[in-house]
Amino acid sequence: MPESNTKKVLTWIQSAVGRVREFAYAEPAGPTERPRIGVALGGGFARGIAHLGVLRVLQQEGIPVDYLTGTSAGALLAISFASGHTIPEIVRQARATRFKDFGSWKLSWLGLASNQKLEHYPRKFLGVSTFADLKIPLAIAATDLATGEAVYFSHGQLGPALRASCAYPGMFVPVEIEGRMLVDGFLAAPVPVDAARSIGADIVIAVFLEAANSRKPSSIVDVIGLSFAILQRHADLEWRRRADIIIEPVVKDFLWDDFERTSELIAAGETAARAALPRIRAAIAAKSGKETSEVNSGGV
C-alpha cells in the first residue's frame, strides 16, 4: 500500500478511536427537568369541597402537585392535601364537617361569629401544627384590613394563618396577627396565583369557585356572600391573567353550608378538571420543551 494511503488509514483509525472514547467516557445526559406545578385554590365555604375533585383528577392522571396555595376554604383544603392524608380520608372528613367544627355564633361589633375553633383544626383533624409538618410547600393568603394588601403565610403555625384566611368580613370577627387586623384572603387574593409563583411554581393551575346563585337569599350570610360575589365579577381580576390554566367547577347553585352535598361538589370539581386536562398537558409540554403529542400519549 502506498505510504500516502497508509497515513490516511491511520489517521481515520485514530479519529474513530477518539470518537469511541468520547462516547464511552462522556457524562450521561441528565433527564429533562420538568416544570414545577403549583395549584392555587380559591375560597367558597362548603363549595371548597370541589377542590377535592380537582386534586383527585390531577392525582389520577399523574400530574404532580409541587406547590399549593389557598384562600379561605381553599387554604383548608390545601392544608388537608399537603398534610399527606389521602383523598378518601379528606373526603370522609369533609362529609362530617359542619359549621360547629370551625365557627360559633357570637355577635359582636366586628362580626356575627368567631372562627377561633379553626385554630385547632389542623392539629385536631389532620395531625399537623406547622407549615414544616406538611409534605408539600404551602402558602396561605389573608387580607390586611387596614391596607387592603394580600398577606401570605408560609412558615410558623398553621392555625392562626388559617383563621385569618377564613375570616369572612361581616360574618367572622377579624383576626389580629402581629399587630395587623386580617380578614379573608379572597378580598386581596381570590385565587393566590402570585403566591404560587413566589414559592417556586413554573406553571400555576388556578381553581376558582363562583359563589353567585339564582336562589333567593335566606340569611344575612347569603346576602353578604352574594354581595361580595357581585363585587368580584366586576373587579379587575389580575390573577386570571397571571394563571396558566383556570379551572372553574360549576358550583354557583350550592349554598355556603352545603356540606352534606359533598359527593356532588367533588363531582363538579372532577368534571371541570378533566375538561382542563388537555390545556394542562399542553402547558407542561410548552414549559418542558416536549411535543404536545408526546405528553398527550401518556403521563407527564
Side-chain angles (χ1 to χ4, degrees):
M1 181 183 295
E3 185 177 350
S4 60
N5 288 342
T6 302
K7 286 182 178 180
K8 288 179 180 179
V9 171
L10 289 174
T11 300
W12 182 87
I13 292 173
Q14 288 173 344
S15 176
V17 170
R19 287 196 295 271
V20 170
R21 283 175 175 168
E22 286 175 6
F23 176 80
Y25 296 107
E27 290 291 328
T32 302
E33 186 170 342
R34 65 169 178 80
R36 312 303 286 175
I37 300 171
V39 180
L41 306 178
F45 284 98
R47 299 179 190 92
I49 294 171
H51 290 314
L52 288 177
V54 174
L55 292 169
R56 175 186 279 172
V57 169
L58 296 180
Q59 196 173 68
Q60 289 173 342
E61 295 297 322
I63 295 171
V65 177
D66 300 300
Y67 302 98
L68 279 165
T69 60
T71 287
S72 198
L76 177 56
L77 271 298
I79 291 173
S80 301
F81 191 77
S83 70
H85 284 271
T86 65
I87 294 289
E89 289 171 340
I90 301 171
V91 169
R92 282 196 294 272
Q93 183 56 49
R95 290 186 197 282
T97 297
R98 295 294 181 269
F99 178 81
K100 63 181 177 59
D101 294 317
F102 57 85
S104 55
W105 298 110
K106 188 177 181 181
L107 185 62
S108 80
W109 291 109
L110 298 178
L112 300 174
S114 167
N115 68 355
Q116 189 170 3
K117 291 180 180 179
L118 264 181
E119 192 147 334
H120 310 291
Y121 193 100
R123 176 185 54 78
K124 181 178 179 180
F125 293 106
L126 302 170
V128 291
S129 298
T130 69
F131 284 88
D133 295 333
L134 302 176
K135 312 293 185 185
I136 300 172
L138 168 69
I140 291 175
T143 302
D144 187 317
L145 195 55
T147 66
E149 297 173 341
V151 178
Y152 299 115
F153 297 91
S154 57
H155 300 86
Q157 296 292 315
L158 289 165
L162 179 61
R163 273 193 69 200
S165 186
C166 295
Y168 200 74
M171 181 174 181
F172 290 120
V173 174
V175 177
E176 185 173 358
I177 299 178
E178 296 181 356
R180 307 176 84 172
M181 293 296 286
L182 304 177
V183 293
D184 199 302
F186 88 90
L187 289 172
V191 185
V193 171
D194 286 344
R197 300 268 186 220
S198 69
I199 59 177
D202 301 308
I203 294 173
V204 180
I205 301 170
V207 187
F208 177 69
L209 308 173
E210 186 177 352
N213 63 60
S214 57
R215 300 184 187 183
K216 184 177 180 179
S218 60
S219 69
I220 188 172
V221 176
D222 290 340
V223 172
I224 293 171
L226 289 171
S227 299
F228 281 123
I230 292 169
L231 284 173
Q232 279 194 330
R233 286 205 302 274
H234 293 282
D236 178 24
L237 301 178
E238 182 64 28
W239 66 266
R240 285 186 176 273
R241 289 186 283 274
R242 297 182 183 276
D244 294 286
I245 299 99
I246 300 174
I247 298 176
E248 300 188 71
V250 181
V251 295
K252 63 182 181 180
D253 288 329
F254 291 86
L255 298 177
W256 68 276
D257 59 348
D258 269 343
F259 295 102
E260 70 277 5
R261 298 178 68 185
T262 290
S263 295
E264 296 170 71
L265 286 161
I266 292 173
E270 288 179 326
T271 299
R274 291 206 173 277
L277 283 174
R279 289 180 285 128
I280 294 171
R281 288 181 170 138
I284 295 170
K287 288 282 187 179
S288 62
K290 295 179 182 178
E291 292 295 329
T292 304
S293 58
E294 178 186 343
V295 178
N296 285 337
S297 65
V300 173

